[in-house]
Amino acid sequence: MTSHGRINIKQEKYKNDFKPLDKNCDCYTCKNYSRAYLRHLFVANEEFGKRLMSIHNVRFLIKIVEGAREAIKEDRFLEYKKKILKQYGDKRGF
Protein backbone atom coordinates (compact mmCIF):
# COMPACT_ATOMS: atom_id res chain seq x y z
CA MET A 1 0.00 0.00 0.00
CA THR A 2 1.29 3.42 -0.91
CA SER A 3 -0.04 6.95 -1.10
CA HIS A 4 -0.49 6.28 -4.83
CA GLY A 5 -2.39 3.02 -4.39
CA ARG A 6 -1.37 -0.59 -4.09
CA ILE A 7 1.69 -1.97 -5.83
CA ASN A 8 2.99 -5.48 -6.37
CA ILE A 9 6.67 -5.20 -5.47
CA LYS A 10 7.48 -8.49 -7.24
CA GLN A 11 6.84 -6.97 -10.67
CA GLU A 12 9.83 -6.76 -13.02
CA LYS A 13 9.46 -2.99 -13.41
CA TYR A 14 10.76 -2.49 -9.86
CA LYS A 15 14.01 -4.41 -10.52
CA ASN A 16 16.00 -1.20 -11.11
CA ASP A 17 13.74 1.25 -9.28
CA PHE A 18 15.88 2.85 -6.59
CA LYS A 19 13.19 5.18 -5.26
CA PRO A 20 11.64 4.54 -1.84
CA LEU A 21 8.52 2.42 -1.74
CA ASP A 22 6.48 5.58 -1.05
CA LYS A 23 8.12 9.01 -1.24
CA ASN A 24 5.37 10.41 1.03
CA CYS A 25 6.04 7.91 3.82
CA ASP A 26 8.18 8.51 6.89
CA CYS A 27 8.60 4.87 7.93
CA TYR A 28 11.93 3.13 8.48
CA THR A 29 11.52 1.06 5.31
CA CYS A 30 10.89 4.02 3.02
CA LYS A 31 13.70 6.04 4.57
CA ASN A 32 16.29 3.27 4.20
CA TYR A 33 15.41 0.84 1.38
CA SER A 34 14.59 1.07 -2.31
CA ARG A 35 11.87 -0.63 -4.31
CA ALA A 36 14.60 -2.59 -6.11
CA TYR A 37 15.97 -3.97 -2.84
CA LEU A 38 12.50 -4.81 -1.55
CA ARG A 39 11.75 -6.58 -4.83
CA HIS A 40 14.99 -8.53 -4.54
CA LEU A 41 14.08 -9.64 -1.01
CA PHE A 42 10.61 -10.76 -2.10
CA VAL A 43 11.81 -12.59 -5.22
CA ALA A 44 14.48 -14.34 -3.10
CA ASN A 45 11.78 -15.18 -0.52
CA GLU A 46 13.78 -13.50 2.25
CA GLU A 47 11.93 -13.01 5.53
CA PHE A 48 13.55 -9.60 5.95
CA GLY A 49 11.52 -8.32 3.00
CA LYS A 50 8.28 -9.32 4.69
CA ARG A 51 9.40 -7.58 7.87
CA LEU A 52 10.27 -4.36 6.04
CA MET A 53 6.98 -4.40 4.15
CA SER A 54 5.08 -4.98 7.39
CA ILE A 55 6.81 -2.00 8.98
CA HIS A 56 5.72 0.13 6.03
CA ASN A 57 2.16 -1.20 5.91
CA VAL A 58 1.59 -0.70 9.64
CA ARG A 59 2.86 2.90 9.41
CA PHE A 60 0.69 3.47 6.34
CA LEU A 61 -2.42 2.29 8.21
CA ILE A 62 -1.51 4.37 11.27
CA LYS A 63 -1.35 7.45 9.03
CA ILE A 64 -4.83 6.66 7.70
CA VAL A 65 -6.16 6.37 11.26
CA GLU A 66 -4.43 9.62 12.24
CA GLY A 67 -6.17 11.29 9.30
CA ALA A 68 -9.49 9.81 10.42
CA ARG A 69 -9.01 11.19 13.92
CA GLU A 70 -8.33 14.65 12.55
CA ALA A 71 -11.34 14.40 10.24
CA ILE A 72 -13.55 13.43 13.19
CA LYS A 73 -12.26 16.39 15.22
CA GLU A 74 -13.01 18.69 12.28
CA ASP A 75 -16.42 17.10 11.63
CA ARG A 76 -15.53 15.96 8.11
CA PHE A 77 -15.15 12.21 8.57
CA LEU A 78 -17.59 11.21 5.79
CA GLU A 79 -15.60 13.27 3.28
CA TYR A 80 -12.37 11.69 4.50
CA LYS A 81 -13.86 8.20 4.29
CA LYS A 82 -15.01 8.76 0.70
CA LYS A 83 -11.56 10.06 -0.25
CA ILE A 84 -9.78 7.07 1.30
CA LEU A 85 -12.14 4.53 -0.24
CA LYS A 86 -11.84 6.18 -3.64
CA GLN A 87 -8.06 6.18 -3.42
CA TYR A 88 -7.47 2.72 -1.93
CA GLY A 89 -10.69 0.73 -2.07
CA ASP A 90 -11.48 -1.95 -4.58
CA LYS A 91 -14.33 -4.35 -5.28
CA ARG A 92 -13.36 -6.48 -2.30
CA GLY A 93 -13.37 -3.50 0.06
CA PHE A 94 -10.51 -1.79 1.87
Side-chain angles (χ1 to χ4, degrees):
M1 298 180 279
T2 72
S3 59
H4 303 290
R6 296 178 185 191
I7 67 168
N8 180 352
I9 200 66
K10 291 182 182 181
Q11 291 179 338
E12 185 75 19
K13 66 182 178 180
Y14 298 115
K15 186 174 184 174
N16 294 308
D17 188 343
F18 296 98
K19 296 179 293 207
L21 184 61
D22 185 343
K23 67 178 183 173
N24 298 321
C25 184
D26 61 354
C27 78
Y28 174 80
T29 300
C30 291
K31 286 182 176 182
N32 294 289
Y33 300 97
S34 69
R35 292 176 179 184
Y37 184 63
L38 291 169
R39 180 190 180 276
H40 160 74
L41 292 173
F42 269 82
V43 170
N45 201 29
E46 291 283 340
E47 291 298 317
F48 187 52
K50 296 172 188 172
R51 182 171 292 154
L52 290 173
M53 198 62 75
S54 293
I55 289 168
H56 167 76
N57 287 338
V58 168
R59 179 62 184 134
F60 180 82
L61 293 173
I62 288 170
K63 286 171 65 173
I64 288 177
V65 172
E66 289 171 347
R69 286 183 186 145
E70 286 301 311
I72 289 168
K73 288 178 186 176
E74 297 169 4
D75 197 29
R76 56 177 183 79
F77 178 73
L78 291 178
E79 296 165 26
Y80 179 78
K81 177 183 169 185
K82 287 177 187 175
K83 174 188 162 204
I84 293 299
L85 289 176
K86 182 178 178 184
Q87 191 167 2
Y88 305 111
D90 63 18
K91 293 179 182 168
R92 296 170 291 164
F94 187 76

